[in-house]
């Protein structure tokens, strides 16, 4: 489908708005997939939500904790978050890991 206009605007943000509208026009089913498929979240904001605790700590104290402590914290949070995304209880997964029975995701099925 061709655009009705042949020129692009010069105003700030106009190019981004045009590109967004074109994606919605050309890939409507992909953009609205979350409406029909409840497995698809309406935003791709999970990474930002995972980082939010560190940013809050940084704002409160003016700095983050040690680099190693931050790495350890995010290793644990990543593990628990992955398990939760696979439908497992976060506390049970942590308990099992501490008891030496760590959860491992299933290997992907070859295609």
């Amino acid at each position: 489908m061709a655009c009705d206009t042949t020129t692009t605007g010069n105003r700030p943000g106009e190019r981004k708005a045009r590109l967004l509208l074109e994606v919605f026009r050309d890939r409507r089913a992909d953009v609205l997939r979350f409406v029909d498929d409840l497995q698809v979240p309406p935003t791709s904001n999970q990474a930002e939500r995972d980082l939010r605790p560190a940013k809050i700590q940084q704002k409160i104290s003016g700095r983050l904790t040690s680099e190693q402590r931050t790495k350890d914290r995010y290793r644990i949070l990543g593990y628990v978050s992955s398990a939760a995304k696979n439908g497992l209880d976060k506390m049970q997964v942590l308990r099992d890991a501490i008891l030496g029975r760590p959860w491992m995701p299933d290997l992907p099925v070859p295609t």
Side-chain angles (χ1 to χ4, degrees), residues 27-67:
R27 301 184 63 192
R28 185 180 212 100
D30 290 336
V31 173
L32 295 175
R33 182 164 292 136
F34 73 93
V35 174
D36 297 323
D37 186 353
L38 297 179
Q39 297 294 332
V40 177
T43 67
S44 60
N45 205 7
Q46 185 62 44
E48 184 178 316
R49 285 193 298 267
D50 289 345
L51 288 176
R52 196 166 290 139
K55 294 308 285 181
I56 290 171
Q57 160 124 21
Q58 186 177 21
K59 286 180 181 181
I60 291 171
S61 67
R63 63 181 176 81
L64 294 174
T65 56
S66 73
E67 184 177 342

Side-chain angles (χ1 to χ4, degrees), residues 61-98:
S61 67
R63 63 181 176 81
L64 294 174
T65 56
S66 73
E67 184 177 342
Q68 186 58 50
R69 188 174 191 174
T70 301
K71 285 180 181 180
D72 293 343
R73 176 184 296 133
Y74 281 106
R75 186 172 291 129
I76 294 167
L77 286 173
Y79 175 76
V80 171
S81 177
S82 294
K85 289 175 189 174
N86 280 274
L88 301 173
D89 179 68
K90 293 178 182 181
M91 292 303 292
Q92 185 65 44
V93 167
L94 273 176
R95 187 178 302 113
D96 289 346
I98 291 169

